[in-house]
Amino acid sequence: MLRSTEDGTRYELLTPTALPKAGGFLWNQKMMVQITCRGYATAQFMQPEPSKYAHAPNLEAKTFIQPEQGYYAHHPGRFVYVKDEETGQVFSAPYEPVQTALDKFVFSVGKSDISWTVEHLGIRVEMSVTLPKHDVVELWSVKVANLTTRQRKIGIYPYFPFGYMSWMNQEAEWREDLSGVVASSITPYQKAADYFKNKLLKDKSYFLCETPPVSWEAMQEAFEGEGGLHAPSAIAQWELSRGDARYETPVAAVQYREELKANEQREYRFLFGPAFDDAEIRAVRSKYLSKEGFARTAREYAEYVAEGRGCLRIETPDKDVDNFVNNWLPRQCYYHGDVNRLTTDPQTRNYLQDNMGMSYIKPDVTRKALLTAISQQEKDGAMPDGILLAEGAELKYINQIPHTDHCIWLPITLEAYLSETNDYGLLQEQVRGKHGDSYTVFERFNRAMDWLLSARDERGLSYIAQGDWCDPLNMVGYKGKGVSGWQTVATGYALKLWAHVCEHEGKPDLAAQYRAGAKIVNDAANTHLWDGSWFARGITDDNVIFGVKTDSEGRIWLNPQTWSILSGAAGPEQIARMLPEVDAQMSTPHGVVMFAPPYSGMREDVGRVTQKYPGSAENGSVYNHASAFYVHSLYSIGEADRAYEALRKMIPGPSKEDYVQRGQLPVYIPNYYRGAHQRFPRTAGRSSQMFNTGTVSWVYRCFIEGLCGLRGDSDALVVQPQLPSSWDGIKVRREFRGATFVVEVRRSAETKEVTVTHEGRVLPGRRVTNIRPGVTYELSVSVPKS
Amino acid sequence: MLRSTEDGTRYELLTPTALPKAGGFLWNQKMMVQITCRGYATAQFMQPEPSKYAHAPNLEAKTFIQPEQGYYAHHPGRFVYVKDEETGQVFSAPYEPVQTALDKFVFSVGKSDISWTVEHLGIRVEMSVTLPKHDVVELWSVKVANLTTRQRKIGIYPYFPFGYMSWMNQEAEWREDLSGVVASSITPYQKAADYFKNKLLKDKSYFLCETPPVSWEAMQEAFEGEGGLHAPSAIAQWELSRGDARYETPVAAVQYREELKANEQREYRFLFGPAFDDAEIRAVRSKYLSKEGFARTAREYAEYVAEGRGCLRIETPDKDVDNFVNNWLPRQCYYHGDVNRLTTDPQTRNYLQDNMGMSYIKPDVTRKALLTAISQQEKDGAMPDGILLAEGAELKYINQIPHTDHCIWLPITLEAYLSETNDYGLLQEQVRGKHGDSYTVFERFNRAMDWLLSARDERGLSYIAQGDWCDPLNMVGYKGKGVSGWQTVATGYALKLWAHVCEHEGKPDLAAQYRAGAKIVNDAANTHLWDGSWFARGITDDNVIFGVKTDSEGRIWLNPQTWSILSGAAGPEQIARMLPEVDAQMSTPHGVVMFAPPYSGMREDVGRVTQKYPGSAENGSVYNHASAFYVHSLYSIGEADRAYEALRKMIPGPSKEDYVQRGQLPVYIPNYYRGAHQRFPRTAGRSSQMFNTGTVSWVYRCFIEGLCGLRGDSDALVVQPQLPSSWDGIKVRREFRGATFVVEVRRSAETKEVTVTHEGRVLPGRRVTNIRPGVTYELSVSVPKS
């Protein structure tokens, strides 16, 4: 049903029905396309705001990606109908819209392409798609082969719906000069000012054919006729009617009619994408639509994706984990860090964390992102809700609602970046801000930390305003008084990290000042938020503490425990009380939930999170971002088994039951798996199918610095693996500051503590110093039996 | 294929495929449902903003109704699958989603119900729906009969999809206590303030069964399985799986399994609608879900619709016109006037014109609307872009864009109202405004007229700002200088009408002043806008005149000609030049277009109208609202044949070809038929399928005051029929000021001018004076041969 290639670079699904929403995604620097195994697709590109070139059949709301996105017959997709001309039988590849039971089905997701092999009626259809690195265009190859020993007459009908493009203006027609269907539209608007904004939008969509087809149809309604999508009337005819769409819903459907000898095969190539005008379509055509163009593009795109291969290769007892960590996890991190989720105004916390992950892939990008973010600091030291990346970009959606946590992510991202690069020089960069002010990065970080210290109430607890890291906790403090338990200890952690940097920078006074700040904050948390066995989530505007024993819903939250460990607010005795509570109340077969039990209805003093569907999205789900923080905190205190258990559950698989429950391929970590597993066991564990998530930077970091224990400090690589107790050893290849470390970790009954040996010499402090770029270091690491 | 009942109160379509989008609409005071012959439905209700209780399968944009709305397999609808349990054959009523060729199909649209009769496999399914007058609930009756002489085993599966209700929270389950599927959701939001706005929304949807079903399914995906909508897997099973939807897309599907003897029939009743909570569902159930409840509701609803029967019954040589004018036209006017298009902020011009139509149906409503509108007058005498009808309502969409024409509609609406009622007392009402100011209606109208006079440039022409009556003419004057030719002469007309009222009110000075104003305005139009054979449409910000001979697109516009006739700007010689140009350039087989030729692309100094699809919406379409103005102006100058030709073309039918081309039933006038008939003959004439239109008040007025020539003045009914020259006579029954007029109009070779006889006496001035309520007047009218 599901298999991985030996090298882990492809996942193959062998039936379209078991994981109906399972898919893969491709992206480049201007676009993203998510394609399911059954052929449905969601594609967006930047111009500069996210736009579509294939649409739903009705007027679709413009919004962020939907959790657990549903599909339906007319959902946008890429399909090929195949007709046996002798019998009139019809099926479709890859599966939709006809939904025939196929003789063979392989959905194959690679790192730089997605493909299918489908067999039915003695005919094989192979479809595959890739992207170029820069341009917004899908490159589709379709191969059709006669698998029988007799000559066959076959009709082949690629069907690429454009959907409802615009109520204002839409049409489509066959363009002989371009050999393709070109759909034109005008993005609807009412305000005169929007005309000028929209003027340069790519309002055309095209489907170009390398091989001229026999016939075509450009109108959806005419293509379907009374047969419907499962048996389009147009296909029952000898030829398509060469119709156009004039304000009707446009489609690209073309016909090839072939006589294939025994085992003969035909290959077709198509381009699908948006354009501003005919000249752009012509240029795309001549650049890509050829055998050579496809081959060159596939190579270049594979090279592009390979740039995101990351700094870690592992061999562990768990092959699925190896595949994921060596291939898919850095790819997902790279996607986040290279294109910032294809938005022009990423939330500041997302922007910083996504770029934290880039420290392990392309640290120059992280450096630039830190400079970009800090240049948009407010006059008072606060950070804005989103970072604007394009001219004319605006803060949209959730970024219009005030959250107070954005400064926290500055020292956190910086810590990962400095550990990886030792680039303390960054701190001395002078940064001119958006208000015309000018400070060094170091000064700006001080100002951000001062702002965090200032945004606290008389008890010393941090205000939450209309949300902290958890957006839908929007009513705890909307009246201006409520405080966040998480934000309080997270402030403590940020100050602690920053104090460490101040120390390094030769500013002991500042270091002491921020350490003192951290202590005050941690003390305040202990005074007001410690509930005997765990930390509360916050205190509302009306002075009601929540996330405490007396709550029947939302009783215990993961983040306050995690971050009190990181900040130092939780002492060893407290941790010893907290962790069993997390185990007992929050650990599930599908991961550690964000809080428990889920809310069953609105708590007006808590917020929107209590109205979300129980177990889904944030309401008591296994919210992987929070789980990843938790794992990071567990590694920080040597809780290797607990850490790995939670870490492993974030990766889809490995059992068949698990894939089916989660409903996705193990090519990415989704932002959540459904929780509420006691109340709704049928749906618990199900994937959100959303691959945009701050989770992945942390998971990658946990593997690198936690499990493998290969973390930099200012002059060395520190080696401190934390294997789960059931493992006897792992092999690791780690790139670090230009050098390569080949590390073999073995458990040994003789070892009392971790011992690192290099060229026969035990390294003091388990530190590799004087690292020389270009050199490969082979390290042997002994870890004690647990 | 299409037939009308003898009395014209029902239209019946005999195949679902010839007019696939054809449908009917029902409304009550809180909701509207538009249903196509194939079963697709679009329903909205007010709470207070328009909301849905059945949704598209994806996240749908919230917007106004779409022109030429497309349908697709998973579009919301109301369906019943029927399965022959012995053969396993399945079809669906009324037609979708299975799309089987049926043995019999009748789609029957009545004034207060919509129904189908469908026969296949020896089984008859009758479906019908009606509404109550006040509550938001659909009452569905389904009858299933065995038409054969043997016993049959039949499965019956009503399928009412709820669609994608919310990304935040949605679920559905069978509720034994309510005997129905109840879907729950939470309207998504992000801003805390919206929580309080949304708090009382009816976020539940229900499907209630009078007869308990054998089984049910509440999850869309589970219902369809791999069979798809055309052959749902669930129906292939013995029973539905009694599943729930937990954040999955909800559906209501239930199963009845019957053994029907020869000719036996079963009847089922269902309720479908939105609710706030269980208590409301229980209340709706007990009020409606019974044989008696259905019968009572059908009666009450028919009575409600009958309140909108209007003041005119005609018998002409054209039976289709009789049906339309006697039944459907007043019904459409009543819909507009009684519920104001189900919006909380109708555009001021729409609100006034829709209520102009109510003068002929329920003039008290018109009176109240005039008071409501004028109470929202701005301090400077201008009228706002929309009239707010509900507490908390806001100006939305197009109403946020400044238009300058709203004052014009005040005296126009008033004229129709006074002609009908003689209620000059209205003018003395004291109206406290939204700014706390207080004036009489008369004073407020003066102030509005003064504002119109003030909103003109140094040439005396009226500014257009970002649009006049024609919204998408938004860039003619967005820089503040451009002027509207239409608005200039429309101002002249408004002033002329108002001067007449001033005269009546014993204010000859004011009358003279406004007449002088009208003259100045008309003179300015003649000086700056007369292009030799017609009036220009306007002059842009950059002083470019447009809608003139030298333009290759948008060369001649209908409105400036129409309103120059009404205002008096056009003298007889000018009219004699204009009308042949309208005939030659703008008259088409489908009606008179709004302007010609359509634009093929953007003119940045004209506006959005030039980007709309040529022939559709406003871009050179047969925009019926403008056509109706034109007809009104033609009757005002005795152009009876030209008037009737344009009037007749607004009514769908009568020929088969015409229905197919237009694609709708003759139960309403749509806002446009596509134009561009030379460039796009395939699509020209096609109906927008949008029944919200300012057209209908004018068309009704044209029939009453123009064709039938039965118009009131301050103390009489003036009789001046204007029959098309091909007609020999008509019979009319007209209700007027409480009396009934039975009028027989005959063409006579002996008559030189219109002669009106009552009880043997020729009436001087063709005026019936001293009208006594309750009395029936029989009038004989002779009109000369033409």
Side-chain angles (χ1 to χ4, degrees), chain B residues 476-488:
Chain B
V476 172
Y478 76 102
K479 297 176 191 163
K481 301 182 84 177
V483 293
S484 161
W486 168 76
Q487 169 116 353
T488 301

Side-chain angles (χ1 to χ4, degrees), chain B residues 56-303:
Chain B
N58 63 347
L59 199 66
E60 215 180 1
K62 194 163 180 172
T63 177
F64 39 90
I65 300 174
Q66 294 303 296
E68 305 187 36
Q69 160 94 53
Y71 296 97
Y72 49 93
H74 282 79
H75 189 283
R78 321 284 186 256
F79 312 100
V80 178
Y81 289 90
V82 177
K83 178 182 167 193
D84 182 327
E85 296 278 5
E86 283 147 322
T87 65
Q89 285 173 286
V90 171
F91 70 97
S92 62
Y95 180 70
E96 303 286 352
V98 182
Q99 300 170 296
T100 310
L102 302 162
D103 302 329
K104 181 180 175 184
F105 174 91
V106 180
F107 174 56
S108 179
V109 178
K111 289 159 79 172
S112 61
D113 72 284
I114 291 173
S115 66
W116 293 262
T117 304
V118 165
E119 292 177 12
H120 192 57
L121 308 177
I123 299 163
R124 177 191 297 142
V125 182
E126 293 170 276
M127 294 173 69
S128 76
V129 59
T130 191
L131 305 178
K133 180 175 173 181
H134 288 296
D135 289 335
V136 180
V137 54
E138 301 173 18
L139 283 69
W140 283 89
S141 151
V142 175
K143 292 181 198 167
V144 180
N146 174 6
L147 301 182
T148 63
T149 52
R150 62 198 163 82
Q151 172 145 331
R152 302 287 297 275
K153 293 185 180 176
I154 297 170
I156 300 153
Y157 301 84
Y159 160 68
F160 281 51
F162 294 115
Y164 185 30
M165 301 176 80
S166 165
W167 53 258
M168 201 159 134
N169 190 323
Q170 62 176 11
E171 66 180 323
E173 62 185 6
W174 174 260
R175 288 285 299 275
E176 197 62 39
D177 57 332
L178 297 166
S179 195
V181 176
V182 175
S184 303
S185 67
I186 290 175
T187 298
Y189 68 97
Q190 290 184 323
K191 293 186 180 149
D194 289 335
Y195 166 72
F196 298 101
K197 281 193 200 163
N198 293 355
K199 205 171 165 179
L200 294 177
L201 294 183
K202 293 178 197 285
D203 274 348
K204 288 177 186 282
S205 295
Y206 56 79
F207 174 78
L208 305 183
C209 309
E210 185 186 24
T211 309
V214 171
S215 70
W216 57 84
E217 178 56 65
M219 196 214 303
Q220 178 81 32
E221 204 177 330
F223 177 71
E224 283 180 52
E226 292 303 322
L229 263 190
H230 58 285
S233 299
I235 287 182
Q237 307 299 315
W238 175 241
E239 291 189 352
L240 304 180
S241 56
R242 300 177 174 77
D244 50 22
R246 301 294 176 197
Y247 200 61
E248 295 126 331
T249 306
V251 73
V254 301
Q255 175 187 25
Y256 295 96
R257 199 164 46 215
E258 305 288 1
E259 299 203 5
L260 293 184
K261 298 192 195 101
N263 302 311
E264 198 184 0
Q265 174 174 293
R266 289 271 192 291
E267 180 168 6
Y268 309 91
R269 278 173 283 271
F270 307 101
L271 301 180
F272 190 59
F276 178 70
D277 59 10
D278 285 1
E280 185 176 343
I281 300 174
R282 264 190 295 275
V284 165
R285 185 182 172 90
S286 86
K287 189 166 174 189
Y288 296 108
L289 193 49
S290 64
K291 190 171 182 179
E292 300 67 37
F294 269 49
R296 185 191 65 239
T297 304
R299 200 169 54 240
E300 288 170 359
Y301 184 61
E303 284 163 10

Side-chain angles (χ1 to χ4, degrees), chain A residues 8 65 90 123 137 143 220 301 331 364 398 431 455 576 597-598 605 637 662 739:
Chain A
I65 299 173
V90 172
I123 299 163
V137 53
K143 292 181 199 169
Q220 177 82 32
Y301 183 62
R331 179 181 185 266
D364 284 357
I398 194 74
V431 177
D605 60 347
I637 53 172
R662 297 192 187 246

Side-chain angles (χ1 to χ4, degrees), chain B residues 416-478:
Chain B
Y417 174 73
L418 292 177
S419 296
E420 203 62 16
T421 62
N422 201 32
D423 173 26
Y424 282 87
L426 168 68
L427 297 168
Q428 302 319 321
E429 295 270 354
Q430 195 76 23
V431 178
R432 193 169 179 82
K434 67 177 172 184
H435 301 290
D437 47 355
S438 188
Y439 297 98
T440 64
V441 171
F442 185 81
E443 289 164 342
R444 287 193 178 276
F445 270 58
N446 281 325
R447 293 167 59 77
M449 297 305 102
D450 295 344
W451 185 87
L452 281 176
L453 278 167
S454 74
R456 295 181 306 134
D457 74 356
E458 66 289 352
R459 293 168 294 204
L461 304 173
S462 295
Y463 290 120
I464 187 171
Q466 290 190 35
D468 55 23
W469 167 89
C470 186
D471 290 336
L473 270 177
N474 63 326
M475 289 171 86
V476 172
Y478 76 102

Side-chain angles (χ1 to χ4, degrees), chain A residues 16-17 20-21 38 56-64 66-74 95-99 164 167-171 186 189-192 195-196 199 219 221 225-230 244-249 397-398 400-401 466 474-475 478 602 604 607-608 611-614 616-617 672 674 680 682-683 686, chain B residues 16-17 20-21 38 56-64 66-74 95-99 164 167-171 186 189-192 195-196 199 219 221 225-230 244-249 397-398 400-401 466 474-475 478 602 604 607-608 611-614 616-617 672 674 680 682-683 686:
Chain A
T17 57
K21 291 186 181 180
R38 293 156 74 108
N58 63 347
L59 200 67
E60 215 180 1
K62 195 163 180 172
T63 177
F64 39 90
Q66 294 305 297
E68 305 188 36
Q69 159 93 53
Y71 297 96
Y72 50 93
H74 282 80
Y95 180 69
E96 302 287 353
V98 183
Q99 300 171 295
Y164 185 30
W167 53 259
M168 201 159 133
N169 190 323
Q170 62 176 9
E171 66 180 325
I186 290 175
Y189 68 97
Q190 290 184 323
K191 292 186 179 148
Y195 167 73
F196 297 102
K199 206 172 163 178
M219 195 213 303
E221 204 177 331
E226 292 303 322
L229 262 190
H230 57 286
D244 50 22
R246 303 293 175 195
Y247 200 63
E248 294 126 330
T249 305
Y397 307 119
I398 194 74
Q400 296 177 338
I401 294 164
Q466 290 190 34
N474 63 326
M475 290 170 85
Y478 76 103
M602 183 63 172
E604 290 194 352
R608 211 158 44 91
Q611 287 182 290
K612 293 202 166 193
Y613 193 76
S616 81
Y672 71 82
R674 283 220 220 166
F680 301 124
R682 177 172 67 78
T683 53
R686 190 175 289 186
Chain B
T17 57
K21 291 185 180 180
R38 293 157 73 109
N58 63 347
L59 199 66
E60 215 180 1
K62 194 163 180 172
T63 177
F64 39 90
Q66 294 303 296
E68 305 187 36
Q69 160 94 53
Y71 296 97
Y72 49 93
H74 282 79
Y95 180 70
E96 303 286 352
V98 182
Q99 300 170 296
Y164 185 30
W167 53 258
M168 201 159 134
N169 190 323
Q170 62 176 11
E171 66 180 323
I186 290 175
Y189 68 97
Q190 290 184 323
K191 293 186 180 149
Y195 166 72
F196 298 101
K199 205 171 165 179
M219 196 214 303
E221 204 177 330
E226 292 303 322
L229 263 190
H230 58 285
D244 50 22
R246 301 294 176 197
Y247 200 61
E248 295 126 331
T249 306
Y397 307 118
I398 195 73
Q400 295 177 339
I401 294 164
Q466 290 190 35
N474 63 326
M475 289 171 86
Y478 76 102
M602 184 62 171
E604 291 194 351
R608 212 158 45 92
Q611 287 182 290
K612 292 203 167 192
Y613 193 76
S616 81
Y672 71 82
R674 283 221 222 165
F680 300 124
R682 178 172 67 77
T683 52
R686 190 174 288 186

